[in-house]
Amino acid sequence: MALNDFVDATLPDVIEWHHHLHRNPELGFQETKTSDFVANKLHSFGLETHRDVSETAVVGVLKAGDSNRSVMFRAELDALPVVEDTGLPHSSEVDGVMHACGHDAHTAMLLGAAKMLSEHPNFDGTIYFVFQPAEEVYGGGKKMIADGLLDRFPAEKVFSQHNWPGVKEGAVIATQGPIMAGVDDFTLTFKGRGAHAAMPELGDDPVLAAAEFLMSAQRIVSRTVDPRSALVLSFTQIHGGKINNIVPEEVAVQGTARFFDPAMSEHVETQIGQIAAGISRASGIEFELDYRKGYPAVINSIEGAAIVKQAANSFLPSEAVVTDEPPSLGCEDFSYLLNAVGNGACIWLGAGEVGPRAGLHGSRFVFNEKLLPVGLRMWLALAETALPKGVR
């Protein structure tokens, strides 16, 4: 049986699994029914199945041949707090929860790969199929590592696949180096004496301090960072006051920083603190900075990207394998696994152009099912490329 025959035979099951998961979405660390579904499938394929790894995570282990080499394939289980507006026949049946990022399809594809590789193990070594909870917001990847995932399943390389709207349909992105950004969040609070709006001289005016900070902070990107370096600093919320004739005692500014260079995290935190301290000295207003370091950047290794390219070239025309796609300033907690293992890649599957609210995390997001056979072939080719027979 040829590769395409394996995929064609498995594709109906993968579509059915995708639709089932889409109808039954669960939020991060709450994916109990999803985990049940995944574990039951892995068990039915004959894989060694583990559910005691971390929260709702599931790990399937498949061995072939006698090599001691190993690779990890990862997909995500969680959905988002989004009200679905797609009109799909398999729309979410859970109010206010939707698979708006394609994790349901990613899971279905990895299950399909597990099934095909268990039936036709054309590789030599061990594959760990990792189904991760809470990729969105809660950093389930970080928790899996803290809970000992890699101690029990010590992979040499790790790979994930993610559909990517806006990239040519059917393309496989095999980019070396940065592909997704690191992200930090912060809250800067200015505190002082409140006052009546008619008598502002009796207070300190934290509103003015916040305004001065917002203007001064623009210099962080424009004047303290090499223009050739990627840094996005966005202020997204300002909270303060309840009555229009009272100057409040407290104003909070919230925002986020995105970057590829890990050193930017410390730089932004230091710069925000220095600017706020200067405003405090000039005005007498106190400040508190809560700077929260989030997901690191996703940086594909040289070898990992090369393996993806070789695997993709085995079943796609050369023009469909892209190695120079610009990175995204979006983030992904696959970075924790990739950093911990030290070798591997995050793969994008081009989903084509989409309309308003139909991109990732949008209420009209619809996973492009033309990508299912591409993702399945990609997993099979990765297994054969990363764990080739006859190599020790």
Side-chain angles (χ1 to χ4, degrees):
M1 233 181 155
L3 172 63
N4 285 343
D5 295 329
F6 297 152
V7 171
D8 290 343
T10 308
L11 189 57
D13 287 335
V14 173
I15 293 172
E16 179 184 339
W17 301 337
H18 171 219
H19 292 181
H20 168 82
L21 293 169
H22 193 86
R23 285 192 298 269
N24 299 278
E26 296 174 296
L27 297 174
F29 292 133
Q30 300 175 28
E31 312 97 326
T32 53
K33 293 180 180 178
T34 306
S35 294
D36 287 344
F37 181 84
V38 168
N40 288 337
K41 291 298 179 188
L42 293 175
H43 183 73
S44 72
F45 305 154
L47 271 67
E48 178 186 316
T49 305
H50 300 264
R51 302 194 62 182
D52 60 344
V53 178
S54 177
E55 298 289 338
T56 51
V58 183
V59 177
V61 181
L62 182 62
K63 298 179 181 180
D66 55 8
S67 169
N68 60 4
R69 294 169 301 146
S70 60
V71 67
M72 182 175 287
F73 294 163
R74 170 268 202 181
E76 321 94 313
L77 299 172
D78 57 324
L80 286 156
V82 173
V83 178
E84 182 160 359
D85 184 27
T86 63
L88 291 170
H90 55 277
S91 289
S92 170
E93 297 176 359
V94 181
D95 290 341
V97 183
M98 175 190 175
H99 272 294
C101 200
H103 294 182
D104 48 348
H106 303 163
T107 288
M109 288 191 297
L110 191 55
L111 283 175
K115 182 177 189 295
M116 288 188 290
L117 288 167
S118 67
E119 296 170 349
H120 312 282
N122 191 27
F123 65 94
D124 187 7
T126 301
I127 301 177
Y128 303 117
F129 296 87
V130 175
F131 296 85
Q132 176 201 313
E135 186 280 323
E136 306 286 358
V137 182
Y138 300 113
K142 182 178 182 180
K143 190 171 192 313
M144 286 196 308
I145 293 166
D147 289 342
L149 173 73
L150 296 177
D151 296 328
R152 294 176 60 182
F153 311 103
E156 299 169 350
K157 303 175 186 69
V158 61
F159 297 92
S160 70
Q161 296 193 64
H162 203 298
N163 77 100
W164 208 254
V167 173
K168 183 180 178 181
E169 183 180 279
V172 169
I173 309 305
T175 300
Q176 173 189 320
I179 188 168
M180 299 188 74
V183 58
D184 291 344
D185 296 315
F186 54 84
T187 301
L188 176 62
T189 305
F190 290 101
K191 299 180 180 181
R193 294 174 298 165
H196 194 285
M199 295 168 278
E201 75 278 7
L202 301 179
D204 298 317
D205 202 344
V207 174
L208 182 58
E212 290 178 355
F213 170 78
L214 289 174
M215 295 302 294
S216 298
Q218 303 308 310
R219 65 177 293 276
I220 296 176
V221 174
S222 66
R223 291 298 179 268
T224 73
V225 173
D226 187 326
R228 294 167 296 181
S229 299
L231 173 63
V232 173
L233 183 59
S234 297
F235 303 103
T236 56
Q237 299 183 56
I238 302 178
H239 300 278
K242 296 180 180 179
I243 305 172
N244 71 335
N245 64 349
I246 297 294
V247 178
E249 296 181 350
E250 185 174 304
V251 173
V253 177
Q254 296 185 21
T256 182
R258 305 275 174 137
F259 45 82
F260 300 122
D261 182 354
M264 289 293 180
S265 177
E266 188 71 30
H267 179 75
V268 170
E269 181 178 10
T270 298
Q271 288 291 314
I272 289 175
Q274 288 178 350
I275 293 171
I279 294 170
S280 176
R281 286 192 298 269
S283 64
I285 290 177
E286 297 180 350
F287 76 93
E288 293 179 359
L289 175 58
D290 176 20
Y291 194 90
R292 303 175 295 278
K293 297 182 187 296
Y295 297 176
V298 179
I299 302 176
N300 291 343
S301 70
I302 295 173
E303 184 182 5
I307 289 172
V308 173
K309 180 182 178 182
Q310 181 182 345
N313 278 330
S314 71
F315 68 93
L316 287 174
S318 58
E319 62 270 18
V321 183
V322 181
T323 59
D324 58 354
E325 183 72 19
S328 166
L329 269 296
C331 63
E332 232 278 3
D333 93 333
F334 179 66
S335 55
Y336 290 114
L337 271 176
L338 189 53
N339 286 350
V341 173
N343 198 357
C346 175
I347 305 160
W348 289 350
L349 303 179
E353 297 300 326
V354 296
R357 291 196 287 138
L360 300 177
H361 294 205
S363 60
R364 293 180 179 174
F365 171 83
V366 176
F367 180 85
N368 184 345
E369 291 194 333
K370 293 179 182 178
L371 301 184
L372 292 176
V374 179
L376 291 171
R377 293 184 179 98
M378 192 70 231
W379 283 132
L380 295 184
L382 276 173
E384 296 177 11
T385 305
L387 300 173
K389 288 185 173 181
V391 177
R392 292 291 180 267

